[in-house]
Amino acid sequence: MNWKEDYKRKVSKPEEAIRDIRDSQCVVMGHAAAAPRLIPQTLADHCEDYNDVLIFHMTTLGDNPCYQPRCYGHFRHVSNFLSANSREVVERREGDFFPAYFKDVPSMIGNDIPCDVAVFQTTPPNDEGYCSLGVSCDYAKAAIRAAKTVIVETNDKMPFTYGDDMIHVSQIDHIIPCSYPLQELILPAPGEVELAIGRHCASLVADGSTLQLGIGAIPDAVLQALADKNDLGIHSEMFSNGVMELMRKGVINGRRKTLHPGKAVVTFIMGTNELYDFVNENPNVEFYPVDYVNSPLVIAKNERMISINSCLEVDLQGQVASETIGMRQYSGIGGQVDFIRGASLAREGKAIIAMPSTAAGGTISRIKPFLTEGAAVSTSRNDVDYIVTEYGIARLKGRTLQHRAEDLIRIAHPDFRPALAEEYERRFHCTYTE
């Protein structure tokens, strides 16, 4: 059948498409800036028609209508990465969290994560009937392959991107043509603490390095501090506006990359409309599924691979907690460990954990004698490499427990160093000296 005829036959209204969702089924939805908008709203509007529908998703920006209290009991949510709008749902037991590396999610879909219905957002089809997954490739293709029913919102505001992120009209059951702006993520400018951290991180980055960064004030500060570097590359789970700025200046050009030279490789992005316009039909940015981008063996093919991630707290052994505050699930592991391990395998690779030295307005030290009771260890002491705060850099790899504790105390906030020194002296039976 001609794909255009197939397309016309499959065009649906949201109210029609959701009739293929049944009680007790699992619906896998896209995430981040590419999360579908019309189907979640339509489901929420008709929530009383459903019972015990499981919805799998990761980060969603803005309001998710299926999180509304009126939807409780009709939908349950499961995720392996929480954000501000989903923590309360889990804490109210209207959803749950499961620990998993982001790279493993595609292989889990259809197995550990049932997938009866897949709901994603794409571009309208091109001349050959292929739709681009746009700004979020990650686990979408795995879900579309596994699902019995595929519902796609073809948004003419979605950027058309390159890489391995195409699906064909023939793979879709319900097509919902639409036009709405993507959700933006606008971050505050880095403060003095973040800028100091950025300068320390930048000192570890050589010309020709390939970078993985997260999102937030610290990654933005790192990128600002890299403006005088040359021939940097990107192989990252995601990036935001700061990478775009350095690409425009030619600082990030991928010229010396050993894998995908000349290309910024990513699995999803979040940022402003300016960023979304930047990646639209940009041949220098390529999107690939997360089981490829986040594979440590793939990451390690990038020489001079530099992984920069953040965390919530570190103990004096070097154990890193990035996902939980005590027993409270705060976010998820994402690709932190995968990139740390990939960077450690790469020739001249480095893995950096960067964080402010304090939290809660300076009342809590992020460097602690022990992790908060109940906290999950995200990065083990065996994997940790560099820890960076605004007070300096601690290289933990290859260091003994005693030397690690000394180095970490030196980059802790001065207000908390005396208490950390007391624990050091109890633990190692010797006097701590600066």
Side-chain angles (χ1 to χ4, degrees), residues 21-39:
I21 299 173
R22 305 281 186 265
D23 290 351
S24 303
Q25 285 190 329
C26 178
V27 179
V28 176
M29 291 193 181
H31 89 127
R37 302 268 292 278
L38 303 182
I39 290 297

Side-chain angles (χ1 to χ4, degrees), residues 208-212 231-235 251-254 257 263:
S209 296
T210 293
L211 305 175
Q212 174 260 322
D231 298 335
L232 300 180
I234 292 291
H235 183 108
V251 175
I252 295 174
N253 54 41
K257 283 185 72 180
K263 308 295 184 182

Side-chain angles (χ1 to χ4, degrees), residues 91 133 142 294 311 325 339 344 421:
E91 288 167 2
L133 290 162
N294 286 29
C311 72
I325 300 174
F339 276 93
S344 71

Side-chain angles (χ1 to χ4, degrees), residues 135-409:
V135 299
S136 190
C137 183
D138 39 69
Y139 55 86
K141 295 185 83 170
I144 289 166
R145 284 193 302 267
K148 303 178 184 71
T149 301
V150 176
I151 303 170
V152 168
E153 300 176 12
T154 54
N155 184 1
D156 64 11
K157 298 291 177 60
M158 174 66 80
F160 197 100
T161 57
Y162 299 111
D164 180 14
D165 75 334
M166 302 292 179
I167 65 167
H168 196 264
V169 166
S170 60
Q171 297 174 265
I172 306 170
D173 297 294
H174 293 281
I175 295 170
I176 303 170
C178 57
S179 181
Y180 53 77
L182 272 62
Q183 290 278 6
E184 293 186 273
L185 183 65
I186 301 173
L187 298 168
E192 285 303 316
V193 168
E194 290 81 15
L195 291 171
I197 294 169
R199 289 190 292 270
H200 289 309
C201 291
S203 72
L204 297 170
V205 178
D207 288 349
S209 296
T210 293
L211 305 175
Q212 174 260 322
L213 306 107
I215 193 167
I218 290 177
D220 283 353
V222 172
L223 289 162
Q224 289 183 32
L226 292 172
D228 61 347
K229 303 290 183 178
N230 299 294
D231 298 335
L232 300 180
I234 292 291
H235 183 108
S236 187
E237 177 179 306
M238 61 84 59
F239 66 73
S240 192
N241 285 57
V243 166
M244 171 187 67
E245 298 297 341
L246 290 191
M247 289 182 72
R248 284 174 168 168
K249 293 176 181 177
V251 175
I252 295 174
N253 54 41
R255 190 174 296 138
R256 292 162 64 180
K257 283 185 72 180
T258 51
L259 181 68
H260 300 289
K263 308 295 184 182
V265 170
V266 70
T267 198
F268 75 100
I269 62 169
M270 292 191 293
T272 66
N273 285 325
E274 185 180 9
L275 175 66
Y276 304 146
D277 290 341
F278 176 76
V279 301
N280 184 44
E281 297 186 338
N282 187 337
N284 298 317
V285 182
E286 293 187 343
F287 289 73
Y288 292 88
V290 69
D291 49 354
Y292 176 80
V293 174
N294 286 29
S295 166
L297 296 178
V298 173
I299 295 163
K301 293 179 182 179
N302 294 287
E303 294 182 8
R304 299 173 300 278
M305 183 74 211
I306 308 293
S307 167
I308 304 174
N309 290 283
S310 60
C311 72
L312 297 170
E313 59 185 27
V314 179
D315 72 10
L316 289 180
Q317 298 182 69
Q319 296 186 118
V320 175
S322 304
E323 311 163 66
T324 64
I325 300 174
M327 289 295 295
R328 185 188 182 209
Q329 191 68 45
Y330 188 78
S331 58
I333 188 64
Q336 180 175 123
V337 172
D338 298 320
F339 276 93
I340 286 172
R341 290 176 176 168
S344 71
L345 291 169
R347 182 183 177 191
E348 299 180 44
K350 297 174 183 174
I352 301 166
I353 297 286
M355 64 177 186
S357 63
T358 63
T363 62
I364 298 172
S365 177
R366 291 180 184 265
I367 296 176
K368 299 185 173 185
F370 306 94
L371 296 181
T372 303
E373 183 178 4
V377 175
S378 304
T379 297
S380 78
R381 63 183 188 176
N382 302 311
D383 289 308
V384 74
D385 192 359
Y386 291 89
I387 303 290
V388 175
T389 72
E390 69 269 31
Y391 293 101
I393 301 168
R395 175 98 198 274
L396 303 190
K397 183 166 284 189
R399 303 284 280 169
T400 67
L401 291 176
Q402 183 173 343
H403 290 152
R404 286 173 176 232
E406 292 169 355
D407 294 343
L408 286 166
I409 293 170

